[in-house]
Amino acid sequence: MLFTDVLKQIDQSAEQTIQLPEGWGQGRALFGGITAAIAWQHAHHGASAEQALRAFTVSFVAPIQPGTAVLKRRVLREGKNVTQIAVEIEQNNAVVLAALASYGRSRPSAVRVTDTPTAQVPSREHGPGFPKIAALPEFTHHYDYSVAVGGLPFTGNKSREFGGWMRYSNEQQPMTIGLLLGLVDAWPPALLPHLSEPAPASSLTWTIEFPEPIDSQKSSHDWWQYVAYIDYAADGYGHTHAHIWDDHGKLVAISRQTVTVFG
């Protein structure tokens, strides 16, 4: 099942049941990028068209499995300028994901700082991709990568930066926030290149911020640039931030994660 087909299941209902797909596994759970996108899509149906998504925060409470899941949406506050919407995904009567979507209307302001970090990612030809082999998580088979910054996971590379280029292999849809969530989370945690052998790791919390609405003229099959930076890592946890640009170097999102690692 394609990423966009999964999101199409979700309607306007504040509470609904959907089917989570096979083929998007990440270790013992479903890929976090697709579950985050499901939560966003559900939240988005409760938002005003006059307000744009400014920030989206996800807590991955428990491993999510393919199969039946219940989505619940609650508008915490709807104001003239800002709306806060909470979403939960439940399986077996337990919360497995909780998310908060913060929407805001554009308005005049004396504050304007628009010079953003510049993309300095080497060209795609400089970096290896991830082979589409059974040893890698299922979800990676849906993406193309070029690791142009830092090293591949589990190679003992101690760089604090990790990233490169990314796109969907088989999706050719207008880019949406949901599809972008799947792209950003498709990158392994920036801690993994520091390890010399495979070990489990996963996102604990994830906040992603959007300076401007996503350009719908862009495609999910276009190449996008991503670079993550390790701010601090110790005691089995890492704190990272990342910037995401389109293929022309325009900043489209800022991502922050708390990651657990068992190695």
Side-chain angles (χ1 to χ4, degrees), residues 65-221:
Q65 304 301 318
T68 302
V70 177
L71 309 183
K72 295 182 178 180
R73 181 180 67 239
R74 188 160 53 106
V75 178
L76 302 180
R77 183 178 185 275
E78 184 173 4
K80 177 182 177 181
N81 291 312
V82 173
T83 298
Q84 304 271 8
I85 301 173
V87 169
E88 292 181 345
I89 301 179
E90 294 184 359
Q91 286 190 317
N92 300 318
N93 297 314
V95 175
V96 290
L97 183 148
L100 178 64
S102 301
Y103 283 81
R105 182 196 306 269
S106 297
R107 58 186 184 274
S109 174
V111 179
R112 186 169 181 82
V113 181
T114 58
D115 50 333
T116 57
T118 303
Q120 297 181 338
V121 181
S123 66
R124 295 191 301 275
E125 294 74 18
H126 285 77
F130 294 162
K132 297 184 187 303
I133 58 176
L136 292 180
E138 282 183 321
F139 79 86
T140 62
H141 301 171
H142 297 276
Y143 298 94
D144 296 327
Y145 303 83
S146 172
V147 183
V149 177
L152 289 169
F154 314 124
T155 58
N157 186 301
K158 301 301 183 182
S159 173
R160 295 182 77 157
E161 290 188 316
F162 174 56
W165 298 80
M166 56 190 178
R167 69 176 182 179
Y168 284 87
S169 300
N170 300 310
E171 298 263 3
Q172 297 198 42
Q173 302 289 337
M175 182 55 79
T176 65
I177 286 175
L179 284 163
L180 188 65
L181 290 172
L183 265 185
V184 175
D185 203 47
W187 282 92
L191 280 63
L192 293 192
H194 284 232
L195 300 176
S196 298
E197 58 185 29
S202 62
S203 297
L204 182 63
T205 63
W206 179 23
T207 296
I208 184 166
E209 303 161 0
F210 301 92
E212 297 180 3
I214 299 298
D215 183 356
S216 62
Q217 299 300 311
K218 295 290 185 179
S219 166
S220 56
H221 196 60

